[in-house]
Amino acid sequence: MPEIYGNTAGLPPSALKALERVYRRRVPLDRIATPELIRSLAEASRETGRQVGALVHRSGSIDFVVVGSATGLMLPDIGRLRAAEGRFRALRLVHTHLYNEPLTHDDIVDLTRLRLDLVAGVLLDREGEPTRFTYAYNVPPGPGRAAPFETVGPVPHGQSQPDFGALIGSLEAEFARHSRARAVKAKDGLAILIHVGEKSRRGAMANAEARLGELAALAETAGVAVADRVVQLRDQLDPKLVLGSGKLAEVVMRAIELDVETLIFDADLTPAQAHGIAERTDLKVLDRTQLILDIFAQRAESRDGKLQVELAQLKYSLPRLGQKDDALSRLTGGIGGRGPGETKLELGHRRARERIQRLERELTQIAKQRGVRKQRRDHSGLTRIAIVGYTNAGKSTLLNALTRAEVLAEDKLFATLDPRSRRLRLPSGRVLILSDTVGLIRHMPKALFAAFRATFEEAVGSDLLLELVDASNPEHPEHLETTELVLAELGLVDRPRIRVYSKADRLTPEERAVITDRHDGIMLSVHEPESLFQLRDALSAATERAQATHEPVIETIERVESGY
């Protein structure tokens, strides 16, 4: 017996038989729909009092018969988005409208989101007889096109139809040419960034712009090109979709128009939210934590760092293994799919926990080995200085400028993750150990912060902190707050500290004066040698004071596990 999809509850046997008869129809490739198919759909709608649709394959067969409500139709799962570049689904939807209404917004969303060949509506009168016919199909973006689709009709029922096969063939050829011509420089494609904020919060729009700016920088570091940014301010977040359903439908339309396959949310999505959004959009869905984890998976170089990233990813994914998550199931590579990748999705809860325990044991052993090396450094009597600060503040660049270390330094967030230590000889002849640490970021994922506690041990075991602040970033006051919060979690607020405002060459003299008047610190640019001399003098004076009042540092990091 042919399967009937959708809202079949309460239907009498006569209605079910009318629906089954739709499967007997065949539609040649040169027709959108035959009179026989239209009559069968109209008859089934009269029997059910609901919309009835048929998903017609290009071969002419009816693949799915679907029954909905009086005003809508919910299509079954017909597979993943885009089988190949420039190709449609090879299915067209022909369905009835009971109230003689034209194609709805939901019809257009199904057309564009599922990449259907075409969506056609058979408009019925009060007696359930077909009166008019309308259809829509996808078109590639181009000059003068306001939407990624075109609609024809409604036209009188029985009017001649275009050659369906020729129409779809020309459209697919045009989409293929557009796809080849479109240059995507980013290795992981295009994404739309989404921020949803509370309308009642003071400065909500300014905060949204700042957050999206940082999210865009994270996306660039991860290898994603940002195609668009979306901001929605609401009284409260939608518990299932975060965005409102109408706004999410607009985002889907925009994604189709821009050929975007990834949505990145500036929030931590629950498993239910990620599943709900992915189900509605048929796009890859990432949240802020997944994006940061992906960056760490790309950037970690040492065995220690790679183990820490895998541990953080497993801890993040463990609560999501209990249900089928469409968002995670698509992470077969590219953005969001590095590190353990598919392995973490295939692991059961028991195996995932076993792997987490194994990683924690390995990291504990590595920490012991690191402790032995640090004891050797302690016996050397050298003063240890840790460079701390917000990500992309210029920590690696400063380490290179002071010690000629030649470590990787890029104008990106989290360009380097693994701690680097180098010797620095001051003009006085004193030798210091200068260590770089991983950059901080607001709302840093807890699992990641705990996993990377080893790199913060460089700061915990230091005699002096060199706090670096990007003076050219308008968000630097918030960066200072984030740094202060982390230092408090590590118990380092009272540790001797020198604050340095970096990238001063990007400021005007007036802007420099404002910062120096409001804050204590050294204004520095690695392109201005005199500022480096000033920093070396400050380091000499600070290390003399630290050496005179030196007390053994108690290295403890346990509170990080449940802290930030």
Side-chain angles (χ1 to χ4, degrees):
M1 180 182 294
E3 183 175 359
I4 306 301
Y5 297 86
N7 181 24
T8 59
L11 293 180
S14 60
L16 294 173
K17 288 186 179 296
L19 290 165
E20 290 171 5
R21 283 195 291 271
V22 177
Y23 275 109
R24 302 176 186 174
R25 304 305 175 192
R26 292 293 180 269
V27 183
L29 187 59
D30 62 350
R31 301 294 301 273
I32 296 174
T34 61
E36 293 78 14
L37 174 61
I38 290 174
R39 283 197 299 269
S40 292
L41 292 173
E43 179 189 358
S45 281
R46 287 194 299 270
E47 290 285 346
T48 61
R50 304 169 187 178
Q51 287 191 12
V52 175
L55 283 163
V56 186
H57 195 269
R58 288 186 200 174
S59 64
S61 64
I62 308 298
D63 283 9
F64 301 89
V65 174
V66 190
V67 59
S69 66
T71 57
L73 201 68
M74 181 65 72
L75 298 184
D77 184 5
I78 57 175
R80 293 299 184 206
L81 182 67
R82 292 184 178 90
E85 288 291 343
R87 299 300 301 276
F88 297 139
R89 186 75 67 176
L91 290 173
R92 59 191 181 276
L93 171 65
V94 183
H95 69 303
T96 57
H97 279 197
L98 274 60
Y99 303 111
N100 204 28
E101 72 272 26
L103 294 177
T104 65
H105 178 72
D106 288 343
D107 293 332
I108 299 302
V109 169
D110 285 338
L111 168 71
T112 54
R113 176 172 66 95
L114 300 177
R115 300 290 282 181
L116 297 175
D117 287 356
L118 180 143
V119 169
V122 179
L123 313 187
L124 307 180
D125 60 17
R126 293 183 178 180
E127 286 72 36
E129 295 294 332
T131 61
R132 295 188 297 169
F133 189 76
T134 182
Y135 59 91
Y137 51 85
N138 296 295
V139 293
R145 286 177 176 167
F149 63 90
E150 285 189 9
T151 303
V152 178
V155 298
H157 169 57
Q159 183 171 311
S160 61
Q161 301 174 10
D163 186 316
F164 172 76
L167 173 65
I168 295 303
S170 63
L171 285 172
E172 286 191 331
E174 191 175 352
F175 267 100
R177 287 194 298 270
H178 173 74
S179 178
R180 288 192 296 269
R182 180 177 59 86
V184 179
K185 295 181 180 179
K187 62 184 177 65
D188 283 322
L190 298 173
I192 292 178
L193 309 184
I194 301 173
H195 174 89
V196 184
E198 295 183 11
K199 189 186 301 182
S200 59
R201 180 178 176 181
R202 184 177 180 181
M205 183 54 70
N207 177 68
E209 294 297 337
R211 293 289 298 265
L212 281 179
E214 185 170 272
L215 192 66
L218 287 169
E220 179 186 355
T221 301
V224 180
V226 177
D228 201 1
R229 306 183 187 190
V230 175
V231 175
Q232 186 182 41
L233 300 181
R234 300 168 53 89
D235 293 329
Q236 59 183 8
L237 303 188
D238 187 290
K240 183 177 181 181
L241 301 176
V242 184
L243 286 163
S245 57
K247 189 68 173 180
L248 187 60
E250 292 179 15
V251 170
V252 171
M253 298 292 289
R254 186 64 174 156
I256 293 295
E257 181 181 349
L258 298 174
D259 202 17
V260 165
E261 296 188 0
T262 305
L263 303 180
I264 303 177
F265 283 78
D266 182 38
D268 286 339
L269 303 178
T270 66
Q273 288 170 339
H275 173 77
I277 296 167
E279 188 176 46
R280 288 287 190 95
T281 63
D282 207 22
L283 298 169
K284 184 184 292 186
V285 178
L286 299 179
D287 62 19
R288 189 172 182 272
T289 293
Q290 284 175 291
L291 185 62
I292 294 175
L293 288 174
D294 184 84
I295 293 171
F296 275 58
Q298 294 182 59
R299 296 279 173 167
E301 297 177 359
S302 66
R303 179 171 176 267
D304 187 3
K306 291 177 180 178
L307 292 177
Q308 288 165 341
V309 171
E310 184 178 355
L311 177 62
Q313 287 183 315
L314 284 169
K315 286 186 174 180
Y316 178 82
S317 64
L318 186 60
R320 291 159 171 78
L321 295 177
Q323 61 174 287
K324 178 181 178 294
D325 191 334
D326 283 350
L328 288 177
S329 69
R330 297 202 176 114
L331 304 185
T332 55
I335 176 70
R338 277 156 291 246
E342 285 294 319
T343 303
K344 67 182 179 186
L345 304 176
E346 298 163 0
L347 290 171
H349 277 84
R350 179 180 59 81
R351 292 186 61 198
R353 281 192 286 267
E354 289 175 353
R355 179 62 178 165
I356 288 173
Q357 292 171 359
R358 190 179 307 118
L359 290 172
E360 288 177 336
R361 286 196 298 268
E362 289 187 47
L363 288 171
T364 299
Q365 185 61 34
I366 292 174
K368 291 179 179 179
Q369 296 170 0
R370 188 185 300 107
V372 172
R373 292 194 297 269
K374 290 176 69 175
Q375 285 181 0
R376 292 173 181 170
R377 291 203 304 263
D378 292 344
H379 291 317
S380 68
L382 299 179
T383 302
R384 292 166 294 168
I385 300 176
I387 308 175
V388 298
Y390 209 79
T391 180
N392 202 31
K395 296 184 293 298
S396 298
T397 301
L398 180 60
L399 182 68
N400 289 338
L402 291 175
T403 66
R404 300 179 182 178
E406 297 184 357
V407 301
L408 176 66
E410 294 181 283
D411 190 13
K412 290 183 178 180
L413 304 188
F414 299 117
T416 54
L417 302 181
D418 299 304
R420 312 284 189 181
S421 296
R422 297 292 186 272
R423 289 174 177 259
L424 170 63
R425 184 176 296 276
L426 297 175
S428 62
R430 181 184 295 275
V431 177
L432 312 175
I433 300 295
L434 194 62
S435 299
D436 190 8
T437 60
V438 67
L440 308 176
I441 195 168
R442 71 185 100 188
H443 306 298
M444 191 174 188
K446 291 183 179 180
L448 190 62
F449 186 79
F452 266 77
R453 66 186 184 273
T455 190
F456 292 112
E457 290 178 3
E458 297 293 339
V460 173
S462 65
D463 302 294
L464 177 70
L465 299 180
L466 193 59
E467 181 185 3
L468 210 59
V469 184
D470 181 1
S472 66
N473 192 314
E475 295 290 309
H476 74 263
E478 288 76 11
H479 297 176
L480 281 170
E481 293 178 6
T482 299
T483 303
E484 199 70 19
L485 176 63
V486 175
L487 294 180
E489 291 290 347
L490 296 173
L492 298 176
V493 171
D494 297 328
R495 189 65 51 87
R497 192 188 327 176
I498 298 176
R499 180 173 292 169
V500 176
Y501 289 90
S502 64
K503 305 182 184 180
D505 54 298
R506 301 181 182 181
L507 302 179
T508 64
E510 293 75 15
E511 290 171 332
R512 291 193 186 196
V514 169
I515 293 177
T516 53
D517 288 344
R518 293 179 180 177
H519 307 283
D520 293 330
I522 297 172
M523 194 65 65
L524 178 140
S525 168
V526 294
H527 304 296
E528 299 173 358
E530 61 275 10
S531 63
L532 290 174
F533 294 146
Q534 183 183 2
L535 175 59
R536 287 190 177 94
D537 292 340
L539 288 174
S540 296
T543 52
E544 291 291 343
R545 292 193 299 271
Q547 198 72 16
T549 60
H550 179 71
E551 295 180 359
V553 176
I554 301 175
E555 298 185 6
T556 175
I557 201 76
E558 285 81 5
R559 56 179 167 272
V560 174
E561 295 285 355
S562 59
Y564 183 62

